[in-house]
Amino acid sequence: MEEINRDSFIRNVSFPPPEGFKQRANIKSFEEYQSLYRESIQSPETFWSKIADELHWFSPWTSVLDESDPPFYKWFLNAKTNIAYNCLDRHLEDHENKTAIMFEGELGDTCSWTYMQVFQETCKFANTLLSLGLRKGDRVAIYMPLVPEAVFAMLACARIGAVHNVIFGGFAAESIRSRILDSTAKMVITSDGGYRRGKVLHLKDIVDEAVHGCDCVEKVLVVRRSQTELLPCQMTEGRDFWYHEVSSNKSSSHEAERMDSEDLLFMLYTSGTTGKPKGIVHSTAGYMIGTYLTTKYIFDIHDEDVYWCTADIGWITGHSYVVYGPMLNRATIFIYEGAPNYPNEGRFWELIEKHKVSVFYTAPTAIRTFMRWGDDWLTRRDLSSLRLLGSVGEPINPEAWMWYHNVVGQQKCPIVDTWWQTETGAIMISPLPGVTTCKPGTATLPFFGVDPVILTEEGEETDYGWLAIRKPWPSMLRGIYGNPERFKQGYFGHWEGKYYYTSDGAMKDSEGYYYIIGRLDDIVNVSGHRISTAELEGVLIEDPVVVEAAVIGVHHEIKGQGLVGFLIIKEGSDGQSLVQRLNELVGNKIGRFSLLDKIVFVPELPKTRSGKIMRRLLRDIAEKRELGNITTLADPNVIEAIAKQFKDS
Ligand code: PRX
C-alpha cells in the first residue's frame, strides 16, 4: 500500500454522546457495549441465539453456526422462518395501527400506511405474484422508483420465497438486461414511470428494451405510479400485466412461506474488479438477524421515531436500512421519491420539518452538496425533531462531519459513521450513539460479532494496511450467484483463506478506532456508488475509434471520487465529438451516474515491461502529485506526453 500522511486523517477533537441522548439510548454505557462485544466474539453461538430469540421462528435451529466447509458458512441450521413475517405479522398483535410507511412523492403527493395496511398490501402483492406463476426460489428483477409499492414488492417476494434482484432505477437497459440474464429472472416488476427532478422517467420503456430477447422473462408486472393517471407505455399481450388489474380480486391475507435459514433471500449486483458485475447473494436468517440488531442499536430505534434513510432501494443500504432493518424493528419509515433539489435546494429540510424526522441517514456526498448549497436552506427550517444522524457509503471527511454536526444536528445529535459493504449485509464498524465518543472521520469501533483486523500484504497485523474480518458473521454474503470459485478467490483468496478480505485500506489509532482510507482495488466510489473501472473501460473500447482505455478515480470535492479516462484513439479522429459520443455510450450502456468527469486523449499509456497499465502514475498526474516510483515503467518518456495532454484538456 502507498504510504499516506496519517495525521491528515486524525482530528484532535472528540464528541461524547449528549447526556439527554444517552439516558434513553438502547445501550447506555460503554461497559455494556464492551461486555456484549466480548461475549459476541468469545461465545458467538450464545450471543447470536439470544438475539435470534427476539424474532419469530416457525421452527427452531439445531445449531447456530456450521464452519465445516469454509468459506461456505451456514447459520441457524435447519430453522424455519420468514423475514416478511418478522417485518409485518409479528407486529400486528399489539401495533397494527402504528404507522409503518410515510411517503412523499416528488410532486408533493403524500400517503401513509399502518403496519396492518402494509401487511395487507404485501399479502395482496404476494397472491398476485403467485397467480402469475411465481414460486419459491424463482428470481424476480425489480426496477422501480422509490415508492411504497417497491417495498411491498420486495416484502411480497420474501413472503413467497422468490429471490428478488432489485436494480437501481438509474441503470440503463443493457445493464438491466445483463442482470436479468445472469440471474435468469422469470419476472420483472416495474412501473409505468416515476418522477425525478421534475421529469417523468419512463421505466417501462427501458424495461421493454432490456427484456427484448431475454427468453427467461415470462411476465412483466407493471405497477402504476400514480393513482390518478397512467403514464403512457406499451403493453405486450400475454407478457405484460397491470398490477392494479391482476391484483384487484386478490386476497389481502397470505400465509408466509416457511423458509429455511439458508434459503436465498435476495441477490444484488455490485461492481467487481472485472468488467462483469457480481450477483451477491444473501440468505434469510443471518441477514435478518444482522439487519435487525444493527438497526436496533446503531439507529437506536424507539417507537416514536420517524426514520429516514435517503438511499434508493436499488442499493444495499436501501435493502438493509430502508426496508428490512427498520421494519424488523417496527419503525415508522419515511420515504421520498425524488431529488434533493426539487423544486429547490431546501427540499430535504422541508421534508424533515414537515414529517418530523428524528433519525436521518444519508451519504457524505449528499452532505457535501448541502454544504455547497448553503446553510440558509436549513436555518429557515425547524429541524428540532432530529436526534440522530448517520453517514454511509464512503469516508466522511472531517469538514463535512463537522458541518453535519453543527448545522444539521445543532450539536445535539450523535453521528453514526457506518462502515459496511453490499457483501457484509449489515453495518460492521460504527459508533453506538449513546455510548461511543465520536471523532470526525472515523467509523470508530466494531459492532457485535465483528472481528476486524488490519493486515500487511503478507498477513502480519499492523495499524495501517488491508482491512480484513477474522470470523464469519450472520449477515455475510453467502456467495456470488453461479460463481462459487470467484467468491472463494475474491473474498477468501488472501492469507490462506483465514480472513474475509474487504478490499478497503484502513488505519487504527491509539484508541483502537478505525479510519477507512478507501478501496485498494480498481473500484471507484463515485458519490457512494461502486463503479468498476474495468467495466467502464470495456464499454469505452466498444467505440470503434478507441484503441485502449484506462479509467481511474481521482479526488472530487463533492462526489468523493470522480472518473478520468485516458484514451488512445485512432489517428485522425475528432476528439471533441468523440467525447460526447463516449458519454452517450456510457450513459446508454451503464447509466448516467457513471459518466466520466474528464476524458484525455493520450498517445500512450504508462505500462510496466510486462504490459500492465500503471494506474497509480495516472492518478499522480491527475491529482497533480509528484510521481511515485517509476523504475518499473517500460518507457519513461510517455509520462511527459500524458501530463501535457492532461493539462491541455
Ligand atoms: O470503500 C467502502 C465504502 O463503500 C464500499 C462498499 O460499497 P457498497 O458495497 O456499494 O456499499 C455501500 C453501502 C454500505 C466499502 O468497501 N464505504 C462504505 N461505508 C463507508 C465506506 N468508506 C468509508 N466510510 C464508510 N462509512
Side-chain angles (χ1 to χ4, degrees):
M1 263 176 77
E2 291 162 43
E3 206 25 77
I4 50 152
N5 175 6
R6 300 187 196 191
D7 293 340
S8 69
F9 281 86
I10 298 178
R11 293 288 183 281
N12 286 325
V13 280
S14 52
F15 298 88
E19 261 323 300
F21 190 98
K22 198 171 174 165
Q23 279 158 17
R24 294 197 56 236
N26 286 336
I27 291 192
K28 293 185 178 54
S29 76
F30 196 68
E31 292 68 40
E32 190 184 350
Y33 159 69
Q34 282 177 313
S35 120
L36 282 170
Y37 180 73
R38 216 173 302 118
E39 185 190 28
S40 75
I41 299 300
Q42 289 168 0
S43 324
E45 311 205 0
T46 318
F47 176 86
W48 288 113
S49 52
K50 271 194 269 181
I51 303 302
D53 278 340
E54 296 175 24
L55 296 162
H56 178 85
W57 302 83
F58 298 117
S59 61
W61 50 95
T62 48
S63 64
V64 175
L65 172 62
D66 174 2
E67 296 182 274
S68 61
D69 182 22
F72 302 95
Y73 301 104
K74 295 190 177 79
W75 288 84
F76 295 94
L77 282 88
N78 304 312
K80 297 278 184 283
T81 187
N82 186 295
I83 193 169
Y85 184 101
N86 274 286
C87 285
L88 301 171
D89 312 37
R90 193 166 62 92
H91 309 314
L92 296 185
E93 200 171 315
D94 298 323
H95 298 90
E96 61 174 311
N97 292 324
K98 178 168 181 194
T99 303
I101 299 179
M102 301 197 302
F103 168 74
E104 182 157 332
E106 192 174 78
L107 302 179
D109 45 322
T110 56
C111 49
S112 77
W113 278 266
T114 63
Y115 267 92
M116 176 55 94
Q117 288 166 328
V118 176
F119 164 79
Q120 289 169 337
E121 290 297 331
T122 300
C123 289
K124 193 163 158 185
F125 215 118
N127 288 322
T128 306
L129 296 178
L130 289 168
S131 77
L132 290 173
L134 212 62
R135 292 291 175 266
K136 180 180 170 190
D138 288 341
R139 274 84 53 215
V140 187
I142 299 181
Y143 183 68
M144 287 187 71
L146 186 45
V147 292
E149 289 78 2
V151 178
F152 306 154
M154 288 168 76
L155 290 168
C157 289
R159 206 168 173 90
I160 66 168
V163 179
H164 60 67
N165 166 18
V166 185
I167 302 171
F168 170 56
F171 276 113
E174 192 143 324
S175 293
I176 304 171
R177 175 204 291 277
S178 69
R179 284 158 173 77
I180 288 175
L181 289 175
D182 191 74
S183 63
T184 50
K186 198 165 159 188
M187 182 189 282
V188 181
I189 305 174
T190 188
S191 162
D192 49 351
Y195 300 99
R196 185 91 189 164
R197 251 175 227 112
K199 294 206 182 92
V200 176
L201 299 176
H202 293 280
L203 299 181
K204 172 67 167 58
D205 294 354
I206 302 173
V207 167
D208 284 344
E209 197 185 329
V211 300
H212 185 73
C214 285
D215 291 340
C216 54
V217 176
E218 293 171 13
K219 308 239 162 61
V220 175
L221 185 60
V222 188
V223 177
R224 70 174 184 199
R225 160 64 189 87
S226 154
Q227 292 309 305
T228 50
E229 60 169 333
L230 286 183
L231 299 168
C233 54
Q234 289 281 326
M235 298 294 279
T236 301
E237 181 83 36
R239 185 197 70 183
D240 299 352
F241 298 84
W242 282 107
Y243 176 75
H244 62 273
E245 288 176 6
V246 194
S247 68
S248 63
N249 60 353
K250 298 296 175 294
S251 156
S252 48
S253 70
H254 168 267
E255 199 174 318
E257 184 78 31
R258 292 171 180 233
M259 303 291 288
D260 186 86
S261 291
E262 284 297 323
D263 276 340
L264 292 195
L265 172 63
F266 68 85
M267 51 201 300
L268 186 60
Y269 283 82
T270 188
S271 303
T273 45
T274 70
K276 195 172 173 309
K278 24 187 196 181
I280 301 298
V281 295
H282 280 285
S283 71
T284 300
Y287 177 82
M288 174 169 81
I289 289 166
T291 51
Y292 164 71
L293 195 69
T294 45
T295 307
K296 177 172 175 179
Y297 289 137
I298 295 169
F299 297 115
D300 194 56
I301 293 296
H302 291 267
D303 247 338
E304 57 285 4
D305 275 320
V306 175
Y307 168 95
W308 183 17
C309 165
T310 65
D312 189 274
I313 47 150
W315 307 114
I316 190 70
T317 309
H319 287 57
S320 303
Y321 300 111
V322 173
V323 183
Y324 291 114
M327 298 201 87
L328 287 165
N329 282 280
R330 205 204 312 134
T332 296
I333 298 156
F334 172 67
I335 53 179
Y336 168 59
E337 172 191 33
N341 56 349
Y342 188 84
N344 61 45
E345 282 75 5
R347 185 68 184 269
F348 271 25
W349 318 117
E350 182 198 326
L351 292 169
I352 290 176
E353 177 182 71
K354 179 170 164 190
H355 298 281
K356 303 209 170 6
V357 172
S358 57
V359 180
F360 180 63
Y361 189 34
T362 195
T365 186
I367 299 168
R368 290 189 292 267
T369 307
F370 301 141
M371 283 170 79
R372 196 185 53 182
W373 287 343
D375 300 5
D376 274 1
W377 292 109
L378 289 88
T379 45
R380 67 175 79 156
R381 294 284 170 195
D382 175 8
L383 304 182
S384 59
S385 55
L386 288 173
R387 64 177 202 95
L388 175 58
L389 304 173
S391 166
V392 61
E394 48 173 321
I396 175 164
N397 49 311
E399 294 67 30
W401 195 101
M402 289 306 301
W403 184 85
Y404 205 24
H405 172 72
N406 287 325
V407 182
V408 183
Q410 297 289 304
Q411 305 183 344
K412 70 176 176 65
C413 303
I415 296 178
V416 287
D417 172 6
T418 60
W419 175 84
W420 58 297
Q421 307 177 304
T422 303
E423 291 86 344
T424 69
I427 296 168
M428 302 288 276
I429 302 180
S430 166
L432 290 183
V435 305
T436 314
T437 292
C438 291
K439 293 191 267 186
T442 163
T444 74
L445 297 168
F447 188 70
F448 304 128
V450 177
D451 191 5
V453 55
I454 301 181
L455 299 173
T456 63
E457 212 165 332
E458 292 72 39
E460 302 287 325
E461 279 197 40
T462 174
D463 58 2
Y464 167 65
W466 305 38
L467 180 64
I469 311 291
R470 211 182 323 242
K471 287 194 169 63
W473 64 101
S475 68
M476 68 192 294
L477 76 166
R478 295 301 191 266
I480 296 175
Y481 192 72
N483 203 340
E485 208 36 47
R486 191 175 174 192
F487 165 62
K488 215 167 158 173
Q489 283 313 318
Y491 297 106
F492 295 89
H494 300 75
W495 311 297
E496 298 161 4
K498 286 192 207 134
Y499 304 91
Y500 165 83
Y501 170 49
T502 66
S503 303
D504 273 323
M507 182 179 78
K508 202 153 86 157
D509 71 9
S510 55
E511 288 179 279
Y513 278 23
Y514 288 84
Y515 294 71
I516 310 298
I517 313 288
R519 301 286 298 199
L520 299 174
D521 53 8
D522 289 327
I523 298 289
V524 182
N525 194 327
V526 179
S527 302
H529 301 326
R530 262 164 80 162
I531 293 175
S532 151
T533 52
E535 190 178 357
L536 271 174
E537 288 160 7
V539 167
L540 291 168
I541 59 169
E542 280 181 32
D543 190 286
V545 307
V546 177
V547 178
E548 213 175 342
V551 176
I552 55 159
V554 294
H555 174 74
H556 188 286
E557 283 291 319
I558 301 290
K559 298 194 276 188
Q561 284 192 292
L563 294 160
V564 178
F566 291 86
L567 271 57
I568 303 176
I569 52 172
K570 285 188 186 150
E571 264 180 50
S573 317
D574 169 18
Q576 259 322 308
S577 64
L578 186 57
V579 167
Q580 203 181 345
R581 196 165 85 209
L582 292 172
N583 272 327
E584 271 165 32
L585 186 66
V586 171
N588 291 336
K589 295 261 169 171
I590 306 180
R592 297 194 60 80
F593 65 94
S594 51
L595 292 186
L596 284 89
D597 295 272
K598 188 165 169 143
I599 293 180
V600 188
F601 300 113
V602 292
E604 258 317 322
L605 288 169
K607 288 185 181 160
T608 61
R609 275 172 219 109
S610 59
K612 199 168 168 328
I613 298 172
M614 297 181 72
R615 286 159 205 282
R616 70 176 164 79
L617 295 181
L618 293 174
R619 277 195 292 271
D620 288 342
I621 292 172
E623 292 182 339
K624 304 184 184 68
R625 274 193 305 265
E626 288 253 315
L627 291 188
N629 185 347
I630 57 163
T631 50
T632 51
L633 190 63
D635 175 5
N637 297 322
V638 302
I639 287 292
E640 215 168 292
I642 297 172
K644 182 169 183 319
Q645 287 299 107
F646 182 82
K647 214 164 131 223
D648 295 347
S649 64

